[in-house]
Amino acid sequence: MSPAPAPESEILFVGDIQGCARELERLLERANFRPGEQRLIPIGDTINRGPDAKATLDLLAAYGAEPILGNHELGLLEIWRGGDVPAWARGP
């Protein structure tokens, strides 16, 4: 895990990653993201539609990301708690 950057550091906000770890890595490279110097804040929907939710979450954890939960994360937590399965998680 990267060391935590100072609160006054530059912040990179990224939304709707959707479980696309490879594309997230490319985006961070193109943005010249510097772990430990800049903060990474995913703003919802980091999982669900893409091919690799686990790799996405692993990558965000390795970078010390500070995610804001979106409806997909909240829906997954609801399923985990034994609640209703949201419509998006039921499939076609």
Side-chain angles (χ1 to χ4, degrees):
M1 183 190 268
S2 297
E8 66 276 2
S9 300
E10 292 178 1
I11 300 172
L12 176 61
F13 292 94
V14 180
D16 291 301
I17 298 166
Q18 299 287 355
C20 297
R22 184 175 303 144
E23 291 81 358
L24 174 60
E25 278 190 290
R26 278 191 252 146
L27 174 71
L28 295 175
E29 286 173 16
R30 293 187 96 183
N32 296 315
F33 177 68
R34 297 179 314 277
E37 295 178 33
Q38 297 172 307
R39 296 171 64 193
L40 175 60
I41 301 183
I43 52 173
D45 298 343
T46 56
I47 57 171
N48 184 24
R49 299 169 194 222
D52 206 343
K54 182 179 181 329
T56 299
L57 295 174
D58 290 344
L59 181 63
L60 293 172
Y63 284 144
E66 306 166 59
I68 297 171
L69 299 180
N71 63 312
H72 294 170
E73 291 79 23
L74 294 173
L76 182 63
L77 290 171
E78 183 64 23
I79 293 168
W80 185 64
R81 290 186 195 113
D84 293 332
V85 175
W88 61 262
R90 289 187 205 123

